[in-house]
Amino acid sequence: FLSAHASSDSFLKCLSGSVPSQLLFTQSSQSFASVLASSVRNPRFLTPGTVRPLCIVTATNASHVQAAVVCGRAHGVRLRVRSGGHDYEGLSYRAARADAPPFAVVDLARLRSVRVTRGSPATAWVDSGAQLGELYYAIGKVSDRLAFPGGLCPTVGVGGHFSGGGFGMLLRRHGLAADQVVDALLVDAQGRLLDRNAMGQDVFWAIRGGGGGGSFGIVLSWRVNLVAVPPKVTVFAVKKTVQEGAIDVVAKWQEVAPTLPDDLLVRVIAQGQDANFQALYLGSCDALLPVMRSRLPELGVDRTQCKEMTWLQSVPFIYLGSGATVEDILKRNLPGDNRFSKATSDYVRQAISRNVWADIFRTWLAKPNAGLMILEPYGGKIAGVSDSETPFPHRSGVLYNIQYMNFWGSAGEEAGRTGWVRDVLAFMAPHVSKNPRAAYVNYRDLDLGQNVVVGGGAGGNVTSFEAGRVWGEKYYKGNFRRLAMAKAQIDPSDYFRSEQSIPPIGNQL
Ligand code: FDA
């Protein structure tokens, strides 16, 4: 590599032949800081000590992205790609290590169109820079019988979300966002623009869940199948405090929720001394109530708590609360989007005992620095697909996913708040999945491991597959090796690299 300064100058000169200057922001540009911050969701990675890009390319078409790759390769500048900027570790716009090689950010926020086509099945082309809320809104406006099974937060970017799998309230009926991808446009490490056929089946398999961390190239656009929903769905939100029996209900929920009818998902947010149960049912309140009464009567769901609405209306209702409108999901910033945060995850395959849940509520969630735990039940469609169908391997046998999160308001609280996440993760070890202890890549946690680069010298350097297994098998289990083989096919010199990118296998074994 050239020195950082030389790289920057020659890289920018090269780029200026193909990308209009108003789309390029160097560190000396007046608006560099605001463009960088535009989709940073975690102020932990917006401090003076953060390792920043040399420049940001705000691409408006494929040729800008291709030019960034070609110029980056030629002038020793690596690329990071940012769609919605929600990466929990900020890997789409910062490097974790101070000695990281120089890099630029390709920001896709201006590539955000959604084109829905009715038909059988109905489909949509969605650009990576679109937010989930924009995708859902475009679909819901075409038909109240169509939907898409992605995450809950409307400002999450399609690019990163699909790259890591993506799940939300429809997961039990329709599986992951990545399960619905039928085509994609990828700019590879040679700057070629490839569709599904041109990238080949191994790479197409890899980008649908194994692409987080920017490993195989830059996906510009995705073609997805849309899914059928009834014109009215039912939602409820019911809170139980520990005094009202939350511990017993959560303990029972663990075995009930993954075996409910596929049309029903009941998730739990455990925070403080409360367990908040949120549900989406693809049917009427009349049909839901007998199911809840027979399967989880302890929750005491009654008619006053059931609300019928369109699927599109359910999105803001569940994420933002009852006062929110469908237009709110089009906003670029929502309450809570800009908080200091730390998260990590676990998978549960055997129900955790009531005593442990009592400890979680009475000890861990009662601490002054405590965060929260989000429990997402699996089963249904997500479990009906084999572990090797896509890179996402957490399917059959998983009862639920746990996300541990903590938020805080100022830098001084960081040690205590992140400490809670790490301590509760250590406490949970005996009670969750083992060999490997599995985790969800979209809830990225660099504490699970980081890449090590080996080789060096004239032969180039590549990320170590063996070292990568430490974190990679937690996210991908046996699929990690196959991902590394796909990486070797499409990017053997390991140009697209980050702290948790897939290493190429083959040229180092
Ligand atoms: P960002 O742009 O930061 O990218 C994330 C990663 O993907 C980076 O490594 C980046 O380089 C890479 N990448 C991005 N665009 C790419 C592209 N076009 N081509 C190749 N690589 C690309 N998840 C979930 O499954 N269900 C949920 O309900 C939620 N809810 C949720 C709420 C909130 C508030 C947050 C912060 C996060 C979630 N998530 C989630 C997690 C979310 O799915 C995850 O953080 C996604 O990777 C975010 O995608 P973005 O495009 O926004 O991130």
Side-chain angles (χ1 to χ4, degrees), residues 39 41 80-88 90-93 108 128-129 132 150-153 155-168 186 211-215 217-220 222 267 319 336-337 341 376 403 405 440-444 498:
S39 64
R41 306 296 181 176
R80 296 199 177 221
V81 52
R82 181 166 76 173
S83 291
H86 277 68
D87 193 284
Y88 282 144
L91 296 191
S92 52
Y93 54 86
L108 300 179
S128 284
L132 292 180
L152 284 90
C153 170
T155 56
V156 162
V158 160
H161 190 64
F162 291 14
S163 292
F167 59 76
L186 172 83
S215 298
I218 300 177
V219 182
L220 299 184
W222 311 76
R267 74 202 286 256
Y319 193 75
D337 263 353
S341 64
E376 307 278 2
Q403 182 177 192
M405 289 208 93
Y440 175 39
V441 66
N442 266 348
Y443 300 155
R444 189 186 308 289
S498 73

Side-chain angles (χ1 to χ4, degrees), residues 203-485:
V203 176
F204 183 65
W205 174 84
I207 59 171
R208 290 172 297 147
S215 298
F216 301 98
I218 300 177
V219 182
L220 299 184
S221 218
W222 311 76
R223 185 163 181 251
V224 291
N225 282 338
L226 307 185
V227 301
V229 287
K232 290 279 179 216
V233 303
T234 301
V235 298
F236 70 74
V238 173
K239 187 171 88 175
K240 284 266 178 249
T241 65
V242 166
Q243 275 194 328
E244 290 164 345
I247 294 167
D248 288 322
V249 187
V250 171
K252 182 162 178 196
W253 168 93
Q254 299 175 97
E255 309 216 40
V256 170
T259 58
L260 286 168
D262 295 359
D263 282 338
L264 175 57
L265 184 144
V266 183
R267 74 202 286 256
V268 184
I269 302 176
Q271 183 168 26
Q273 297 305 287
D274 299 338
N276 295 285
F277 294 81
Q278 296 178 324
L280 175 70
Y281 178 58
L282 300 178
S284 65
C285 186
D286 281 347
L288 171 63
L289 283 175
V291 179
M292 292 308 301
R293 276 190 208 118
S294 72
R295 302 293 307 275
L296 200 55
E298 298 81 353
L299 195 54
V301 180
D302 65 30
R303 187 164 293 276
T304 62
Q305 293 154 333
C306 281
K307 308 237 174 317
E308 290 183 1
M309 58 186 67
T310 65
W311 168 75
L312 182 61
Q313 289 167 332
S314 77
V315 175
F317 185 92
I318 291 167
Y319 193 75
L320 297 167
S322 56
T325 68
V326 292
E327 279 68 33
D328 287 336
I329 68 173
L330 296 173
K331 291 182 176 160
R332 301 280 171 98
N333 264 301
L334 287 170
D337 263 353
N338 295 302
R339 288 177 290 181
F340 292 83
S341 64
K342 164 85 189 165
T344 193
S345 60
D346 258 323
Y347 278 97
V348 176
R349 289 178 165 266
Q350 276 185 332
I352 295 171
S353 76
R354 187 198 177 279
N355 284 348
V356 173
W357 274 109
D359 213 5
I360 291 169
F361 273 99
R362 297 216 163 94
T363 308
W364 292 95
L365 293 169
K367 286 182 190 279
N369 281 335
L372 51 92
M373 291 167 64
I374 303 175
L375 318 180
E376 307 278 2
Y378 278 22
K381 174 70 193 295
I382 202 165
V385 170
S386 90
D387 284 3
S388 58
E389 183 75 22
T390 70
F392 180 96
H394 318 289
R395 305 268 192 180
S396 177
V398 170
L399 296 180
Y400 59 98
N401 172 271
I402 304 179
Q403 182 177 192
Y404 311 88
M405 289 208 93
N406 212 343
F407 299 104
W408 59 99
S410 68
E413 294 175 70
E414 177 161 336
R417 295 283 179 171
T418 56
W420 180 86
V421 174
R422 292 181 182 121
D423 292 347
V424 79
L425 194 72
F427 166 80
M428 292 297 284
H431 313 297
V432 295
S433 68
K434 293 173 191 64
N435 304 317
R437 184 172 180 182
Y440 175 39
V441 66
N442 266 348
Y443 300 155
R444 189 186 308 289
D445 179 7
L446 290 183
D447 293 350
L448 301 181
Q450 293 189 34
N451 280 334
V452 175
V453 172
V454 291
N461 54 30
V462 288
T463 304
S464 157
F465 173 75
E466 283 305 321
R469 289 177 63 189
V470 172
W471 61 267
E473 290 180 355
K474 294 183 174 114
Y475 292 151
Y476 299 116
K477 300 203 224 166
N479 290 334
F480 186 60
R481 178 173 287 271
R482 188 167 162 201
L483 283 168
M485 288 158 67

Side-chain angles (χ1 to χ4, degrees), residues 166-184:
F167 59 76
M169 298 302 285
L170 292 176
L171 79 87
R172 303 197 65 256
R173 181 69 179 80
H174 293 294
L176 301 178
D179 292 343
Q180 304 300 333
V181 173
V182 290
D183 203 347

